[in-house]
Amino acid sequence: MSLARVQNFSVSLDGFGAGEGLSRDKPFGHAGERLHEWMFATRWGREMFGLPPGGTGGVDDAFARQFYAGIGAEIMGAGKFGPPGWQGNPEWTGWWGSNPPFHTPVFVLTHHPRPSIAMGGGTTFHFIDAPPAEALKLAREAASGRDVRIGGGSIVVRDFLAARLVDHAHIAVVPILLGRGVRLWDGLEGLESDYQIEATSSPSGVTHMTFTRKDT
Amino acid sequence: MSLARVQNFSVSLDGFGAGEGLSRDKPFGHAGERLHEWMFATRWGREMFGLPPGGTGGVDDAFARQFYAGIGAEIMGAGKFGPPGWQGNPEWTGWWGSNPPFHTPVFVLTHHPRPSIAMGGGTTFHFIDAPPAEALKLAREAASGRDVRIGGGSIVVRDFLAARLVDHAHIAVVPILLGRGVRLWDGLEGLESDYQIEATSSPSGVTHMTFTRKDT
């Protein structure tokens, strides 16, 4: 069965998945990279982001490594694909250079579809204007039986959770207070009645929350 | 040294310390007692709330037991002392009956001070209209060298944290999504630069966050 999964999605203790003031220079606004430092400190993160070898091999690493496992496609929001206004720039092909770290089809949700872009390393960006259930159907077809990663940002993760389309979610709660930005948890009242929720805190200070849909 | 401490203050995963619709029948609004069930399940909680003996003796119990340890006074907000409008009812003496579970002087922050009320079991309610630092000074004097508990609700905990008056805080994050209510974390951007933050998750699903001021 092809699952819809959220992996390595990081929020601050006060629930922000990105800061305020997102721009081309600051993809996460005033949050900078502070939501993701826990990943850069793991063995997997060192490899993944081209950092010097080393890193931790504990619970943070174990969770981080699920990012690729069994994934055949990703769905992301317009706000993850580029800075505000990228839709007006026909040259924009994402933040990630010629070899983006997805290596699968990626469906970008946007009200301004454009032709697909084939990048290096197996990533192809498709641009679709579709509600969550329809986007998931398309991504599942492209994933050829493998799972679909719901890649973010906050609004996309929230919408898919609210629609109960997510089978399994891994949210990393980082012990910082951003104070402002894009909230993940809004509008999810009662989520716990449909998901089994587990919490695993790490010596790094991060707490890994996992949500497994009860009927999965 | 007399510390200012928060103990057993519970919030939902989406950061609400109480729900919406607080009333005499529903002190925590639509949240009901769901934020506090983790405490009722502990050995300490069973004793404390007059429940049948038993309960867990793990990390939830270890944290819960710090509630009284070394405490000589409490500060609470008007919203903890009674339902909206209690200030207009001269007969209101709190939710807790004739023997409230404080057993120390309790300073209630209100813009409508009234004469102090001596209850059973060593609890005396004092009503003061004072900013956080001044309230803490009064409570410290009353605590005779022991610590002062910052008892909540959310707005009071937040105000004392924002003013960096809290030396040690224990916040229990409960894996439910309330969706609406009174937020704890608002306006605390950058708190992590002044506090060492630790996370300890429990098999119950609760994550205990502790904040220790770096200069304490």
Side-chain angles (χ1 to χ4, degrees), chain B residues 13-187:
Chain B
L13 185 52
D14 49 353
F16 297 101
E20 209 174 64
L22 311 188
S23 69
R24 191 158 175 166
D25 291 337
K26 296 188 167 182
F28 292 94
H30 82 291
E33 285 297 345
R34 287 180 293 157
L35 290 172
H36 307 108
E37 279 164 5
W38 71 270
M39 248 189 292
F40 306 151
T42 64
R43 285 198 300 142
W44 180 83
R46 298 281 186 118
E47 266 179 55
M48 162 87 178
F49 297 100
L51 301 167
T56 61
V59 66
D60 290 344
D61 189 62
F63 273 104
R65 280 176 193 277
Q66 311 305 313
F67 185 77
Y68 289 124
I71 295 288
E74 164 155 330
I75 295 170
M76 69 169 64
K80 178 171 172 180
F81 185 67
W86 66 262
Q87 295 87 345
N89 176 1
E91 308 296 313
W92 182 260
T93 59
W95 305 96
W96 303 279
S98 59
N99 182 18
F102 305 106
H103 313 300
T104 65
V106 173
F107 293 82
V108 180
L109 302 175
T110 172
H111 298 306
H112 305 277
R114 54 174 65 185
S116 298
I117 312 173
M119 309 291 289
T123 298
T124 302
F125 292 116
H126 302 289
F127 300 86
I128 60 173
D129 187 359
E134 192 184 316
L136 184 55
K137 190 161 174 287
L138 285 169
R140 276 209 164 108
E141 282 163 16
S144 314
R146 288 190 290 162
D147 295 344
V148 175
R149 191 192 308 107
I150 310 301
S154 297
I155 296 167
V156 167
V157 171
R158 180 207 301 170
D159 286 350
F160 278 74
L161 280 171
R164 303 300 191 258
L165 290 169
V166 174
D167 297 293
H168 179 82
H170 162 230
I171 311 287
V173 180
V174 178
I176 62 174
L177 284 290
L178 288 176
R180 52 209 163 95
V182 190
R183 289 187 190 275
L184 172 64
W185 300 121
D186 279 5

Side-chain angles (χ1 to χ4, degrees), chain A:
Chain A
M1 184 194 162
S2 163
L3 303 178
R5 291 161 41 197
V6 176
Q7 298 291 160
N8 296 357
F9 194 82
S10 301
V11 297
S12 62
L13 184 53
D14 48 354
F16 297 100
E20 208 174 64
L22 311 188
S23 69
R24 191 159 176 164
D25 291 338
K26 296 187 167 180
F28 293 93
H30 82 291
E33 286 297 343
R34 286 180 294 156
L35 290 173
H36 307 108
E37 279 165 5
W38 71 271
M39 249 190 292
F40 306 151
T42 64
R43 284 198 300 142
W44 179 82
R46 297 281 186 121
E47 264 178 58
M48 163 86 179
F49 298 100
L51 300 167
T56 61
V59 65
D60 290 344
D61 189 61
F63 273 103
R65 280 177 192 277
Q66 310 307 313
F67 185 78
Y68 288 124
I71 294 289
E74 164 155 332
I75 295 170
M76 69 169 65
K80 179 172 172 179
F81 185 68
W86 66 261
Q87 295 87 344
N89 176 1
E91 308 296 314
W92 182 260
T93 59
W95 304 97
W96 302 279
S98 59
N99 183 17
F102 305 105
H103 313 301
T104 66
V106 174
F107 292 82
V108 180
L109 301 175
T110 171
H111 298 306
H112 305 276
R114 55 174 67 186
S116 298
I117 313 173
M119 309 291 290
T123 298
T124 301
F125 291 116
H126 301 290
F127 301 85
I128 60 173
D129 187 359
E134 192 184 316
L136 183 55
K137 191 162 174 287
L138 285 170
R140 278 209 164 109
E141 283 162 16
S144 313
R146 288 190 291 161
D147 295 344
V148 175
R149 190 192 308 108
I150 309 300
S154 298
I155 295 167
V156 168
V157 172
R158 181 206 302 169
D159 286 350
F160 278 74
L161 280 171
R164 303 299 191 258
L165 289 170
V166 174
D167 297 292
H168 178 83
H170 161 230
I171 311 285
V173 179
V174 178
I176 62 173
L177 283 291
L178 287 176
R180 52 208 163 96
V182 190
R183 289 187 190 275
L184 173 64
W185 300 121
D186 279 5
L188 295 177
E189 179 179 346
L191 193 70
E192 68 278 5
S193 49
D194 292 321
Y195 287 86
Q196 185 186 338
I197 307 181
E198 284 183 62
T200 307
S201 50
S202 158
S204 69
V206 167
T207 299
H208 300 279
M209 306 293 307
T210 56
F211 298 72
T212 304
R213 212 177 50 207
K214 287 179 180 171
D215 61 1
T216 300

